[in-house]
Amino acid sequence: MGLLGSDERPRDVILGTLDDLINMARSRSMWPLTFGIACCAIEMMATWDPKIDADRFGMFFRNTPRQADVMIVSGTVNKKLAKRLRRLYDQMAEPKWVISMGACANQGGPFRQGYSVVEGVDKIVPVDVYIPGCPPRPEALLQALLLLRDKIADRELRYKKPREIPADYEIMAEPGKDGRIPVL
Amino acid sequence: MELRLKQERLFDEDIYTVHPEDYRALCEKLKADGFDFPRAVSGIDTGYGLRVTLHLTRLHDRAKVTVRTDVRYENPVVASVTDLWPGVEWYEREAYDMLGVRFSGHPDLRRILLEDEWELHPLLKRYDTGGYPIPGWEPKAWPDPDPWTPPPPPEPEAGEAGEGGEAS
């Protein structure tokens, strides 16, 4: 992965760009937002319990979006919540990443085509890692967090400004006014 | 005043089906009778109208009562019983939210789950799962007789059974 330094140099000399250093720091201290929505949030809590213990990777929850780096969308996003979720995402400081956890956040899950469900959180915010499962096991969430860690630290996949997803309030509107085609 | 109601009994529970204008009067009577705990208020779309079901319990002897009333789609107004049992306030708001039952006299009849500016009542049968109107949907005919009409009394059997009873 070519992070900092290599084995040929003396061990106390590190050569690299400042971006590499900063991104290494960022990737080793990803602080998720305390934000649980549904049953996936139970598995999210279990990821931080002593068995899996995501704390050992430098991740722990922050209670305000101003201090958080990662948003874990853990559950069904309905239309009333979508506005608040987008607002939380907008309040997070750059750089910021989003993990979509579980079938509901990925594409609506069993509640897809319901009158109040947003069919995939990637319609609201840009998503970095998707986790399949209903709900995913804590190991799956940990793997997603480690994937995100590698993505942040990697020189090729280094953080760039995510594709802009404007706050599309039309898909958060009530049926008939949300621009969806009715399924009959 | 005679209440227009039909009384049935299912297991350990009395079920009253009552005219919507007498719903409030029956609830006051039950409140005076000691029914102090509302278990739930639910709304049902029966296909011909809306039905509000109120489940009551008398805590000291666990007597259970179900009060239900049917209203038409055109005028779904039921008297609120929030002042009798304050706990039903949010149940009635939910029935209003999901089905559009208007509870007259309710202190704060707003939507409770969906957003305030929505006009949709999504659990009505005329909408599909996605909240879109089903084309060609027609309500069923209002039942005849009305749901609160008590069944006619059983006709006295003319025959040897009655006479035999008298003889003994």
Side-chain angles (χ1 to χ4, degrees):
Chain A
M1 201 172 66
L3 199 55
L4 294 182
S6 73
D7 288 343
E8 287 95 40
R9 299 194 189 88
R11 299 201 62 180
D12 51 352
V13 175
I14 295 177
L15 290 179
T17 62
L18 189 60
D19 270 357
D20 279 344
L21 184 70
I22 291 172
N23 281 322
M24 187 194 74
R26 281 173 179 160
S27 68
R28 265 65 181 174
S29 64
M30 295 189 292
W31 289 355
L33 180 63
T34 313
F35 180 59
I37 303 175
C39 40
C40 281
I42 307 295
E43 303 295 315
M44 184 175 78
M45 289 176 235
T47 313
W48 268 261
D49 76 358
K51 191 172 179 186
I52 306 291
D53 194 17
D55 273 341
R56 63 198 157 120
F57 299 105
M59 310 164 196
F60 56 96
F61 286 112
R62 303 302 293 177
N63 292 327
T64 164
R66 305 286 186 201
Q67 299 172 354
D69 306 308
V70 182
M71 171 186 270
I72 301 172
V73 183
S74 53
T76 318
V77 180
N78 56 38
K79 291 173 177 174
K80 193 176 180 180
L81 178 68
K83 299 181 179 70
R84 280 79 181 171
L85 187 137
R86 175 70 200 197
R87 189 186 178 97
L88 283 175
Y89 178 79
D90 288 340
Q91 284 176 343
M92 283 164 64
E94 299 267 352
K96 51 193 172 186
W97 298 272
V98 178
I99 291 176
S100 165
M101 180 180 183
C104 294
N106 288 347
Q107 43 88 11
F111 312 107
R112 192 174 168 82
Q113 297 172 357
Y115 56 88
S116 65
V117 175
V118 174
E119 297 176 349
V121 73
D122 51 2
K123 292 186 168 63
I124 309 291
V125 292
V127 174
D128 292 279
V129 183
Y130 296 87
I131 315 172
C134 186
R137 290 184 61 85
E139 294 90 329
L141 177 58
L142 186 68
Q143 194 203 358
L145 287 164
L146 296 183
L147 268 176
L148 183 61
R149 183 189 73 177
D150 293 347
K151 177 182 177 179
I152 296 168
D154 197 289
R155 199 185 291 253
E156 304 299 321
L157 300 173
R158 180 188 296 157
Y159 178 79
K160 297 187 182 69
K161 199 166 170 56
R163 69 196 165 93
E164 285 292 327
I165 293 188
D168 185 2
Y169 291 104
E170 202 169 78
I171 64 169
M172 306 178 202
E174 70 177 295
K177 300 173 185 171
D178 55 355
R180 280 197 302 176
I181 301 162
V183 182
L184 295 174
Chain B
M1 194 190 84
E2 190 66 25
L3 299 178
R4 288 161 285 183
L5 63 85
K6 178 175 72 174
Q7 183 174 4
E8 296 157 290
R9 189 163 177 85
L10 184 67
F11 302 111
D12 59 341
E13 188 160 0
D14 284 320
I15 299 176
Y16 299 99
T17 310
V18 67
H19 189 283
E21 289 171 7
D22 295 344
Y23 170 78
R24 168 86 195 179
L26 177 63
C27 287
E28 284 171 357
K29 213 168 145 187
L30 289 169
K31 170 82 175 178
D33 205 18
F35 286 93
D36 48 358
F37 179 66
R39 301 204 303 282
V41 177
S42 46
I44 304 164
D45 188 342
T46 50
Y48 55 83
L50 301 175
R51 166 174 288 178
V52 174
T53 311
L54 169 65
H55 304 270
L56 296 172
T57 300
R58 187 163 54 201
L59 283 176
H60 72 85
D61 63 349
R62 307 284 171 92
K64 286 188 272 186
V65 153
T66 296
V67 184
R68 60 193 187 194
T69 181
D70 286 82
V71 287
R72 293 170 194 267
Y73 287 124
E74 300 85 51
N75 189 26
V77 178
V78 178
S80 171
V81 291
T82 304
D83 50 340
L84 299 180
W85 299 281
V88 304
E89 181 184 345
W90 281 15
Y91 288 119
E92 289 182 346
R93 280 178 67 186
E94 188 186 2
Y96 164 70
D97 194 356
M98 291 290 142
L99 290 162
V101 186
R102 268 74 172 177
F103 289 92
S104 62
H106 192 282
D108 185 23
L109 196 62
R110 287 180 292 130
R111 287 181 176 272
I112 189 168
L113 294 170
L114 300 178
E115 288 180 83
D116 289 339
E117 59 266 23
W118 282 29
E119 295 160 10
L120 175 75
H121 296 293
L123 294 194
L124 288 173
K125 290 228 188 290
R126 73 179 73 128
Y127 301 114
D128 65 354
T129 321
Y132 299 100
I134 299 171
W137 186 85
E138 288 291 332
K140 284 192 274 188
W142 187 261
D144 186 38
D146 289 323
W148 48 81
T149 309
E155 295 183 9
E157 283 192 32
E160 64 273 4
E163 291 169 1
E166 282 178 6
S168 65

